[in-house]
Amino acid sequence: QVTLVESGGGLVQPGGSLTLSCAASGRTLEDAYLAWFRQAPGNSREFVATINWRSSGYTYYRDSVLGRFTISKDIAKKTIYLQMNNLVPEDTAVYYCAAGDRPTHMTSRNPDFYAYWGQGTQVTVSS
């Protein structure tokens, strides 16, 4: 069992920055992927970024956030982060943290492969 708790959402102006955190508790994460997904009103849930818990190098981003968002981890704190820069209104959504043992490099973008989800944190980008 893994419990995930997101924090850090809020209201920010276009061009601004926010950092989201996702703190994990419960069993030790080993061969796991963690990821950020988001869902805007009227839209389906979409992939944002993923990171492998053990691999030091593997990350993957959706094209629209590449170069603006950075996913990272702190193993000691069992926490992942999403640093979001140069935010645009299209980034407005509820952001969810997810964790799972099943994903691979290819399937880590697929929400169906994640067993654990946080409650979500709202990010609103508006002037």
Side-chain angles (χ1 to χ4, degrees):
Q1 177 64 42
V2 176
T3 299
L4 305 173
V5 179
E6 303 101 331
S7 62
L11 175 64
V12 64
Q13 294 183 332
S17 299
L18 282 175
T19 299
L20 306 183
S21 299
C22 173
S25 62
R27 70 172 176 86
T28 300
L29 297 171
E30 295 181 351
D31 295 326
Y33 283 78
L34 289 93
W36 291 96
F37 293 83
R38 66 188 183 187
Q39 187 166 12
N43 292 359
S44 60
R45 181 174 49 189
E46 67 180 19
F47 168 78
V48 178
T50 187
I51 188 168
N52 185 270
W53 191 244
R54 288 193 171 187
S55 174
S56 62
Y58 181 77
T59 58
Y60 191 84
Y61 302 86
R62 70 180 296 110
D63 288 345
S64 63
V65 308
L66 189 64
R68 299 190 298 121
F69 290 11
T70 302
I71 188 170
S72 61
K73 63 189 177 186
D74 186 325
I75 294 176
K77 295 181 178 180
K78 298 181 68 174
T79 300
I80 66 166
Y81 306 92
L82 186 68
Q83 175 66 50
M84 304 183 293
N85 299 322
N86 302 120
L87 286 160
V88 295
E90 290 75 17
D91 295 319
T92 296
V94 177
Y95 283 69
Y96 297 93
C97 179
D101 296 320
R102 293 185 61 196
T104 64
H105 283 4
M106 292 301 297
T107 61
S108 62
R109 313 161 204 171
N110 190 335
D112 293 340
F113 284 81
Y114 290 88
Y116 306 103
W117 293 84
Q119 82 287 351
T121 185
Q122 177 72 48
V123 173
T124 301
V125 184
S126 177
S127 59

